[in-house]
Amino acid sequence: MRSDEVQSVLADRVEALRESLTERWGDVPHRVRDPIHVPEYDFPRTPDDIFPWVAVCFVVEDGRVLLIQDSGHSSEWEPPGGKGEALRASKKANGEFREQGETLRVSERASGEHREQGDRGESVAETAERETREETGIECEATDLLFTETLRFDYGNGVPMPVLQAGFVARQVGGEIHPTAAAIENASWFGVEEIPDGTQFAEEIRSLDTER
């Protein structure tokens, strides 16, 4: 596929995810981020050569928020989170790509609520919960959607690739701090008003309703 075709499909995917999340969680602020330069990676040749979404998890407990230190990131502290599973697209006879089966799909639960699913059959919120468990040892449950944003990855050819990032508020339901991911150097609870300087998403963290 041409780079502009890949970009167009990914832009449609971002919009579809936003609509599905809005249907499930209600309207939240959305922003478009400045391009993130990633020239060290190969340009995605199809829409499914890039992860379908990124989820960030703001776990709040007793007025505190859970933060990690990731050796692969530039920020000193940040909420846990990570990528959804990579999609594997199937190709129609006319050459168009679609999201189905093992790829991104919107399915209806028995309750009538919708969710977005990747290869693991997990929703965007479940990605946030899984990444929190893997990175910190804390089991949590997403309770609210805080924001969405469009990330734009610049591979050096001037055609940035859009991917949705969603930030969820969550509550602890079990576990204890015990990071297992190799890149996670530390994980700790901080008072919402006492987060370290340089913490990623500091403004969003300070906006959290710690009484919920």
Side-chain angles (χ1 to χ4, degrees):
M1 296 179 70
R2 298 197 316 266
S3 57
D4 61 328
E5 293 175 329
V6 177
Q7 183 188 58
S8 178
V9 172
L10 290 177
D12 289 344
R13 182 174 292 165
V14 166
E15 188 59 31
L17 281 169
R18 281 187 61 196
E19 290 179 1
S20 183
L21 287 169
T22 297
E23 179 182 354
R24 167 65 181 88
W25 300 93
D27 289 324
V28 295
H30 180 81
R31 63 192 173 201
V32 178
R33 296 281 292 273
D34 292 336
I36 301 168
H37 299 286
V38 289
E40 67 274 20
Y41 293 100
D42 293 333
F43 186 88
R45 301 171 69 179
T46 79
D48 299 312
D49 290 335
I50 190 169
F51 41 89
W53 56 68
V54 181
V56 181
C57 199
F58 299 84
V59 185
V60 178
E61 185 73 17
D62 296 330
R64 304 173 300 164
V65 62
L66 180 64
L67 299 177
I68 64 169
Q69 289 181 310
D70 188 323
S71 62
H73 295 173
S74 58
S75 55
E76 181 69 14
W77 290 91
E78 62 189 273
K83 304 170 185 175
E85 291 300 294
L87 301 179
R88 295 193 295 274
S90 60
K91 198 171 185 179
K92 291 182 179 179
N94 64 5
E96 295 177 355
F97 283 79
R98 61 180 176 173
E99 295 79 40
Q100 68 167 21
E102 294 175 327
T103 67
L104 177 64
R105 61 193 182 277
V106 178
S107 65
E108 189 167 0
R109 292 176 175 172
S111 65
E113 105 188 13
H114 291 75
R115 64 178 178 177
E116 313 73 22
Q117 295 183 327
D119 286 351
R120 287 176 180 255
E122 67 182 7
S123 68
V124 184
E126 288 166 344
T127 296
E129 294 165 352
R130 172 177 57 78
E131 288 287 339
T132 299
R133 179 176 63 254
E134 292 174 355
E135 293 183 343
T136 71
I138 297 295
E139 297 280 352
C140 69
E141 178 184 26
T143 59
D144 201 4
L145 180 64
L146 187 61
F147 66 86
T148 60
E149 55 187 5
T150 301
L151 304 178
R152 295 185 294 162
F153 295 95
D154 180 1
Y155 293 82
N157 67 346
V159 185
M161 296 293 106
V163 173
L164 185 85
Q165 176 159 274
F168 291 90
V169 181
R171 65 183 182 92
Q172 182 180 2
V173 295
E176 58 184 20
I177 290 181
H178 180 66
T180 57
I184 306 305
E185 297 179 330
N186 197 4
S188 185
W189 295 97
F190 289 90
V192 169
E193 298 300 328
E194 301 170 349
I195 59 174
D197 292 340
T199 295
Q200 189 178 27
F201 298 113
E203 182 177 344
E204 287 79 6
I205 290 171
R206 294 191 180 100
S207 75
L208 294 173
D209 179 3
T210 59
E211 300 303 321
R212 65 176 64 212

